[in-house]
Amino acid sequence: MEEIDKDHVDKILAQWRRERPELDVSAMGLLGRLARLRAHVSREQEKVFAEHGLTSASFDVLATLRRSGPPFQLSPGDLLAATMVTSGTMTNRIDQLEKAGLVERLNNPEDRRGVIIALTPEGLKRIDAAATAHVANQQRLVAGLAPGDREALDALLRKFLATLE
């Protein structure tokens, strides 16, 4: 491996191989790189979300409502299923978005005891602008990979994820 191809994870692996040569640390390399990539990508995504007055958490809720299609409404249970957070966390997110005027709670016409969470016109405007910027940022982040490499990496990650899900 050329020196230019080495990264921080290679240095960690070399130290482990020196100190504990009997350990197979190959998985550590793969998972370490994924963790470091996630940290870099999250940092860059949070910058874009902040430019739109959002966080990754608020973007997640608004984007889930937006991609549900008109009338951009879901039950709290459907939001929970789509975002994989606890009900308490979801309630807090909805409360904050409601205070910001980006979502509203409506009576559920199918269940008098329940509510529906809906994007407000401002919420729709905000998520559309943020999603456009987010997609452009994602394209920028992967621009260093050739299209074929992106496809190969995506296929491998899909396969890896399927083994865990």
Side-chain angles (χ1 to χ4, degrees), residues 117-159:
I117 309 305
L119 283 177
T120 64
E122 177 58 28
L124 179 60
K125 180 179 166 187
R126 181 90 56 96
I127 191 57
D128 278 348
T132 298
H134 177 56
V135 169
N137 188 43
Q138 289 177 321
Q139 292 294 337
R140 179 186 66 81
L141 290 170
V142 301
L145 295 174
D149 289 341
R150 277 185 270 186
E151 290 171 15
L153 179 59
D154 190 45
L156 288 171
L157 291 173
R158 181 183 298 108
K159 186 176 185 178

Side-chain angles (χ1 to χ4, degrees), residues 33-129:
R33 285 185 178 91
L34 286 173
R36 291 178 64 82
L37 278 167
R38 176 158 172 64
H40 286 293
V41 169
S42 292
R43 202 168 27 251
E44 293 300 313
Q45 289 178 332
E46 287 295 344
K47 288 179 193 175
V48 170
F49 298 148
E51 290 170 5
H52 295 275
L54 301 173
T55 63
S56 59
S58 58
F59 179 89
D60 191 27
V61 174
L62 295 176
T64 300
L65 289 166
R66 177 62 176 96
R67 68 178 188 265
S68 72
F72 312 116
Q73 301 174 354
L74 291 171
S75 71
D78 289 338
L79 277 171
L80 274 173
T83 58
M84 298 184 299
V85 297
T86 66
S87 60
T89 297
M90 181 56 68
T91 298
N92 185 50
R93 288 180 183 181
I94 292 168
D95 288 347
Q96 297 305 313
L97 289 167
E98 189 175 37
K99 286 178 191 171
L102 302 177
V103 301
E104 60 185 342
R105 286 178 168 94
L106 305 174
N107 290 327
N108 186 338
E110 297 173 13
D111 178 1
R112 290 187 207 196
R113 297 169 294 152
V115 296
I116 295 289
I117 309 305
L119 283 177
T120 64
E122 177 58 28
L124 179 60
K125 180 179 166 187
R126 181 90 56 96
I127 191 57
D128 278 348

